[in-house]
Amino acid sequence: MIRGYGVARSKPWHVDDELWAVIEPLLPQVARRPRHPGRKRHPDRLVFQGILFVLHTGIPWDHLPQELGFGSGMTCWRRLAEWIGAGVWPRLHEVLLAKLRSANALDFSRAAVDGPHPGVKGGAKTGRSPVDRGKTGSKHHLITDATGIPLAASLTGVNRNDVTQLIPLLEAVRGKRGRPRRRPDVVLGDRGYDHDKYRRLVWDRGVKPVIARRGTEHGSGLGTQRWVVERAFAHLHWFRRPRIRWEIRDDIHEAFLTLGCALICWRRLVSLR
């Protein structure tokens, strides 16, 4: 048992055969050189489980327990970066969304957006907070379907207004392979998205914006529908690694963000059985 990580209780980083059958075809094939092949490459499945271990526990890469057999932390980090370059994580999310669509489990009667910010150490896609004594930080932005399934996510500096990500999130939902080509009928947003220019842009895309107005009293009832995106953020930040941005490289942090969204989709698929 590895103390502090719940190995004896549960192993959420374990990859069963069914999940691996989805992931393996997305991974790039790396052939060994016939001359001077060097050390044999650590198995992809074990390395992927090492990445999941870091995602779930938030442990530093160089503290990855060797007795788990996942390879060194540096091996897992390098493989993560390699798979980022191959576009594995967005494709995994797209494949799982396509499976949910096939199971009739995506509800596009409405979508919900939100953008709270996690703690951060530094790096690209950070900015000075306008409300927290100028500290640097990043924001996670998320759009979900009516049931809270994460459809797309993005990362910006904390000084970027939430509304600037409204159109990119909508475009990400309707434009990527494996996702439904239809638009959501309605998009729900809190007061952070209250801007007439963006309301017009949303209408131009055939989507009805239902966004709370600044300066109005609470109690409009919008929260009774928007809570699904807040729950999705709670599920996403249940993974410890994305809670605080330890990675200086923004693409590494975004990979954890997208992988977390993909795993939430996988769990929804499993729950449908």
Side-chain angles (χ1 to χ4, degrees):
M1 174 178 175
I2 309 299
R3 290 188 178 180
Y5 299 112
V7 174
R9 296 191 300 272
S10 63
K11 297 180 181 179
W13 47 85
H14 173 72
V15 178
D16 60 25
D17 292 342
E18 191 173 3
L19 176 57
W20 185 242
V22 176
I23 296 168
E24 188 177 24
L26 306 177
L27 303 179
Q29 299 299 312
V30 179
R32 296 189 73 190
R33 294 173 297 180
R35 298 183 61 187
H36 312 294
R39 182 181 298 177
K40 186 176 180 180
R41 184 179 171 93
H42 206 66
D44 284 341
R45 185 167 179 171
L46 290 175
V47 172
F48 180 64
Q49 290 183 134
I51 293 170
L52 291 185
F53 189 90
V54 173
L55 172 71
H56 280 89
T57 66
I59 191 173
W61 291 105
D62 55 358
H63 291 177
L64 184 65
Q66 291 299 289
E67 57 265 41
L68 294 175
F70 300 150
S72 70
M74 184 53 65
T75 294
C76 293
W77 184 92
R78 286 173 177 160
R79 203 73 59 88
L80 174 63
E82 176 187 315
W83 292 340
I84 289 171
V88 169
W89 311 118
R91 285 162 54 207
L92 175 61
H93 190 196
E94 291 161 15
V95 166
L96 293 172
L97 285 171
K99 289 181 178 294
L100 285 167
R101 178 183 59 177
S102 298
N104 199 29
L106 290 179
D107 183 350
F108 270 72
S109 61
R110 62 182 182 271
V113 293
D114 202 3
H117 64 89
V120 74
K121 292 298 183 182
K125 295 190 179 178
T126 61
R128 295 176 64 83
S129 172
V131 296
D132 193 11
R133 295 174 292 178
K135 293 181 180 179
T136 59
S138 286
K139 278 185 178 180
H140 294 162
H141 304 266
L142 188 64
I143 184 168
T144 73
D145 80 335
T147 68
I149 295 173
L151 302 173
S154 65
L155 176 72
T156 67
V158 74
N159 57 335
R160 295 287 299 277
N161 289 333
D162 291 352
V163 72
T164 63
Q165 294 303 298
L166 178 55
I167 300 304
L169 287 172
L170 279 174
E171 292 294 327
V173 169
R174 71 187 189 126
K176 289 191 176 181
R177 180 176 61 110
R179 293 179 180 167
R181 293 294 177 178
R182 59 170 293 187
R183 303 173 180 88
D185 299 327
V186 174
V187 63
L188 310 175
D190 62 16
R191 288 167 176 77
Y193 298 91
D194 180 22
H195 197 295
D196 287 340
K197 169 187 171 181
Y198 288 94
R199 279 190 173 87
R200 289 192 297 271
L201 291 173
V202 172
W203 274 116
D204 289 345
R205 285 158 175 79
V207 181
K208 179 182 178 181
V210 178
I211 297 170
R213 291 280 186 181
R214 290 190 179 94
T216 59
E217 292 185 4
H218 292 272
S220 64
L222 189 57
T224 62
Q225 296 177 315
R226 278 194 65 259
W227 67 273
V228 294
V229 70
E230 296 171 358
R231 183 187 63 183
F233 262 119
H235 290 166
L236 186 59
H237 291 163
W238 179 80
F239 301 108
R240 292 185 181 181
R241 192 69 180 195
R243 290 184 199 168
I244 297 177
R245 185 177 156 185
W246 299 102
E247 285 75 29
I248 294 178
R249 283 180 50 173
D250 58 294
D251 60 342
I252 297 289
H253 189 77
E254 286 178 310
F256 279 126
L257 189 61
T258 305
L259 179 55
C261 289
L263 292 175
I264 292 171
C265 291
W266 174 253
R267 289 172 181 171
R268 181 64 65 88
L269 274 171
V270 172
S271 72
L272 295 175
R273 296 171 189 164

